[in-house]
Amino acid sequence: MKGTRINYAMVGGFVIAMTAVLVIAVVILSGGGGATDNYHAVYRNVTGVKYGTQVLYEGYPVGQVERVTPEPAGGGMRFRVDVSVRRGWRIPSDSVAAIQAPGLLSAIVIAISEGSGSTSLKPGERIESREAENLFAAMASVVGQLGEFAEGDLKPLIVTLNRAVGNIDEIAGNQGRKLVDDLGGLAADLAERLPAIVDDVQILTHQMQIASGEFSKLFSPANRRTLEGVLARTEATVGNLSEFSRDISVTRSRIDGVLETLDTLLIDNKLDVERAIIDLRHVVESVARHIDILNQNMEGASRNMYEFSRQIRENPGLLLGGTPPPDQAAGSR
C-alpha cells in the first residue's frame, strides 16, 4: 500500500513537472517570456485577434497581444491592440504592423514589417498599422465581377457571334456561287489584259533605262568637276558676301557713331548754331537788298576796265604819261 502511494506521487509529480515545462515552452515560443516593452496599433477590424495572438517581426516571434480595446472615433469604432515585445528589440519608426494569416489554415498573427528609418520607436509609442486582407471577401468580389461580366458583356457577345455565323452561312449558301462566278469573270478579264500590261511594263522599263543613261551622262566625271567648281565659286562668293556684309555692318556702326556724335554736338551747341543761322540769315538778307547796287557798280567797273584796257592796247605809252602815237591810218589817207 505504501509503495502504491509512492508510485502515485511520483507519477503526479512527473505530470506536474511536464505541464510546467509545457507552459514555459509555450510562453517562450510565443515570445512572452522575460522582460518586455509595450507598443500599440490601431485597426478598424480585428477579426481573429485576441489575447495571446502571436506577434512576428519579419517572421520571427518577438511577443504577443496583451489586450484589444474598442475606442469610438469619428462616428465609428476603432480598436486599439496593445502588444508586448521583447525588451530592447529595435523597431524602426517607419515599420508597419499588419494582421495576417501566414497560411490558409494558419492562425491569425500580427506581422511587423521592418522599416528603413534610422530612428527607433520608444516603448509605448504607436506602430503604423495596415488592415487585414480578407481573402474570402476578395474572392467573393472577383466572383461577383465575373458574374457581372458574364451577364453584361459575355452573353451579348455570344448572341452577336451567333448572328454573325448565321449571316456567314447565308452568304455562303445564297451568294457564294455568285461570288465564285464574279471571281471567275475577273480572272478571265485579267488574263485578257495581262499581255497589254506586260507590254506597258516593258516600255516603261525601256524608258527608265534611257532615263538612267541620260542621268549617267549628266553626272559624268567632267560634269561633276564643273559642278564642283561652280559650287566652290558659289561658296567663295557667299564667303565674300558674308565678309562684305560684316564690313557694311562695321561701317554702319561707325556712321551711327558719327551721327550720334553730330547729334550730341548739335544738342550741346544748339544756341551757337541758332545764333549762327540767325547771323547768316541777316547777311543773306543784306546781300539780297544791295545785290542790285552791287551789280550796277560791278557793271560800271567792268565797262571802265574794258575802256582802260582798250586804250592801253592802243597806246601803251599812256602808262608812262606820254602822248598818243600818230594815227597811221589817217596819214595814209
Side-chain angles (χ1 to χ4, degrees):
M1 188 67 181
K2 186 177 179 180
T4 301
R5 291 179 179 176
I6 293 173
N7 292 334
Y8 285 157
M10 292 177 62
V11 171
F14 179 76
V15 171
I16 293 172
M18 290 299 100
T19 302
V21 170
L22 179 61
V23 171
I24 294 172
V26 170
V27 172
I28 293 174
L29 290 176
S30 63
T36 59
D37 293 327
N38 294 324
Y39 300 92
H40 69 276
V42 178
Y43 300 94
R44 291 181 299 175
N45 189 308
V46 288
T47 302
V49 179
K50 58 183 181 301
Y51 171 78
T53 298
Q54 197 173 30
V55 178
L56 304 179
Y57 186 88
E58 294 292 340
Y60 183 79
V62 294
Q64 66 178 12
V65 174
E66 297 296 334
R67 74 177 67 85
V68 178
T69 306
E71 295 180 347
M77 189 67 70
R78 296 292 184 270
F79 300 91
R80 170 173 173 154
V81 178
D82 293 292
V83 299
S84 59
V85 180
R86 291 183 184 179
R87 177 165 294 177
W89 193 272
R90 180 181 178 275
I91 301 177
S93 58
D94 57 346
S95 300
V96 179
I99 299 175
Q100 295 179 356
L104 187 60
L105 301 178
S106 301
I108 296 295
V109 298
I110 294 181
I112 300 176
S113 300
E114 183 179 16
S116 59
S118 58
T119 59
S120 302
L121 292 174
K122 296 180 181 179
E125 292 184 343
R126 175 180 172 179
I127 304 175
E128 291 295 328
S129 58
R130 185 172 67 241
E131 299 295 330
E133 298 177 356
N134 193 332
L135 179 62
F136 294 101
M139 291 178 63
S141 176
V142 171
V143 171
Q145 292 178 2
L146 289 176
E148 293 178 358
F149 171 73
E151 187 67 25
D153 297 331
L154 189 59
K155 186 179 290 185
L157 178 61
I158 293 174
V159 173
T160 304
L161 287 176
N162 289 331
R163 292 177 181 174
V165 171
N167 294 331
I168 292 173
D169 290 338
E170 183 179 357
I171 292 172
N174 299 331
Q175 301 179 0
R177 182 167 306 194
K178 182 179 179 181
L179 179 62
V180 171
D181 294 339
D182 293 340
L183 289 175
L186 180 62
D189 188 17
L190 183 62
E192 292 178 358
R193 296 184 181 182
L194 187 60
I197 295 174
V198 172
D199 293 338
D200 292 338
V201 171
Q202 290 178 352
I203 294 172
L204 179 61
T205 303
H206 180 67
Q207 292 177 353
M208 292 180 65
Q209 290 177 353
I210 295 174
S212 177
E214 295 297 331
F215 274 111
S216 298
K217 293 178 181 179
L218 179 62
F219 292 100
S220 62
N223 291 337
R224 285 200 301 270
R225 286 193 295 271
T226 303
L227 183 60
E228 290 174 355
V230 171
L231 292 176
R233 288 192 294 274
T234 302
E235 292 178 355
T237 303
V238 171
N240 294 332
L241 288 176
S242 300
E243 185 175 358
F244 180 70
S245 177
R246 289 194 295 271
D247 294 339
I248 289 177
S249 299
V250 173
T251 304
R252 180 179 177 181
S253 300
R254 292 177 179 176
I255 292 174
D256 291 339
V258 172
L259 291 177
E260 291 178 358
T261 303
L262 289 176
D263 290 339
T264 304
L265 182 61
L266 291 175
I267 292 172
D268 293 341
N269 301 302
K270 183 177 181 180
L271 296 177
D272 296 336
V273 172
E274 290 178 352
R275 291 173 182 173
I277 292 174
I278 292 172
D279 295 339
L280 180 60
R281 183 181 301 168
H282 179 72
V283 171
V284 170
E285 291 177 353
S286 178
V287 171
R289 286 195 302 270
H290 298 87
I291 190 67
D292 295 333
I293 299 173
L294 291 174
N295 288 332
Q296 293 175 2
N297 293 332
M298 290 179 67
E299 185 177 358
S302 63
R303 286 198 296 269
N304 294 331
M305 287 295 296
Y306 176 76
E307 182 66 21
F308 176 73
S309 62
R310 186 183 65 78
Q311 293 179 4
I312 293 299
R313 285 196 301 273
E314 291 179 354
N315 185 13
L318 291 176
L319 293 174
L320 301 176
T323 60
D327 190 359
Q328 299 291 338
S332 64
R333 286 197 299 268

